[in-house]
Amino acid sequence: MNPINYQAFCYPDDLRHALQTPTTHGDYSYCTDGRIMIKIPALPEPEYRDKDKCTSLQTFEKVFSTAGANITFDARPISELIGDHPPEPCDTCKGAKVVEKAECDHCEGDGYLDCECCGQERECPTCKGDGFIEGTGHQMECSTCRGEGFKPQLLPIGISQITEKYARLIQTLPDAVVFLPKSESEPITFKFTDGHGAIMPVRKSQSGGAK
């Protein structure tokens, strides 16, 4: 059995630094990126320090309490819900996760220009504020798939749904099963060997921009 990659369940960058690594409170550690969360037996110190000044145990437990009230007790293995179809490569980057772009000559990569009439900053009409245009010279994360390399797809979980990206992340957990929810808007609960978790679903109104 492969060890669990706890970091994969944490926030990927320093925009939310308190969620970048697992948080330990007493007998349990929590990992979350703001959409998915897992609760496991406490991880060893000092690798994972207690960050109770940044995060709240009450907040973590409230998520699990809400998710626990949303289950139908109909549990399905996550592998059964995903099936055996492989993810489809992103149409833009063709699965490379990055695209080649060149710095915009018009705004010199800034993305904005000073208006000649009023002096106010305005969006560069050439690159539309991106600072880069189609070309070569800079490898950048694909904005279509957000660096995932494949098309974002929604996976039905009973009456609810989550992105396939998160379904495959749950699949990395040993013996993971998902409880079908009673509500399409409340967190979905899942469990695995020595732990359990919750994930916020993608509401039907959000489906067009699901990531």
Side-chain angles (χ1 to χ4, degrees):
M1 183 184 297
N2 294 326
I4 297 173
N5 179 11
Y6 300 111
Q7 199 61 47
F9 293 85
C10 297
Y11 201 77
D13 55 50
D14 59 4
L15 290 177
R16 301 178 70 179
H17 62 88
L19 305 182
Q20 278 188 286
T21 56
T23 299
T24 299
H25 288 278
D27 295 332
Y28 296 98
S29 289
Y30 301 81
C31 308
T32 181
D33 68 356
R35 178 171 287 274
I36 191 170
M37 179 187 296
I38 59 173
K39 178 180 179 180
I40 50 179
L43 294 168
E45 303 288 357
E47 183 178 2
Y48 301 108
R49 62 187 177 85
D50 188 314
K51 296 196 291 292
D52 57 357
K53 292 182 180 179
C54 304
T55 51
S56 167
L57 175 61
Q58 288 74 23
T59 300
F60 291 149
E61 287 301 332
K62 183 179 180 180
V63 171
F64 286 111
S65 176
T66 302
N70 188 38
I71 63 175
T72 62
F73 296 101
D74 184 359
R76 306 283 181 85
I78 187 64
S79 55
E80 176 184 310
L81 295 172
I82 293 176
D84 57 4
H85 64 282
E88 295 183 46
C90 171
D91 289 332
T92 302
C93 68
K94 312 303 181 186
K97 301 183 180 182
V98 295
V99 292
E100 287 278 344
K101 288 192 174 184
E103 185 176 282
C104 177
D105 292 331
H106 196 182
C107 64
E108 298 182 339
D110 187 54
Y112 292 86
L113 297 167
D114 290 333
C115 178
E116 296 177 359
C117 298
C118 64
Q120 294 295 314
E121 192 174 65
R122 64 183 177 88
E123 184 180 274
C124 174
T126 302
C127 66
K128 309 301 182 185
D130 186 48
F132 293 86
I133 56 175
E134 294 301 320
T136 58
H138 295 271
Q139 278 199 339
M140 303 180 65
E141 180 182 283
C142 177
S143 59
T144 302
C145 65
R146 298 187 181 180
E148 295 297 327
F150 52 85
K151 295 179 181 178
Q153 298 186 45
L154 292 171
L155 183 73
I157 306 291
I159 63 172
S160 195
Q161 58 187 1
I162 62 175
T163 59
E164 189 171 339
K165 164 190 171 180
Y166 280 108
R168 293 189 180 279
L169 182 58
I170 295 171
Q171 192 178 29
T172 66
L173 299 168
D175 301 319
V177 296
V178 179
F179 293 96
L180 301 189
K182 294 186 291 186
S183 166
E184 64 180 42
S185 61
E186 297 297 334
I188 298 169
T189 297
F190 57 91
K191 69 175 183 178
F192 54 96
T193 303
D194 294 330
H196 60 286
I199 179 171
M200 288 301 300
V202 177
R203 297 186 182 184
K204 302 295 172 64
S205 60
Q206 300 174 319
S207 297
K211 299 296 184 188

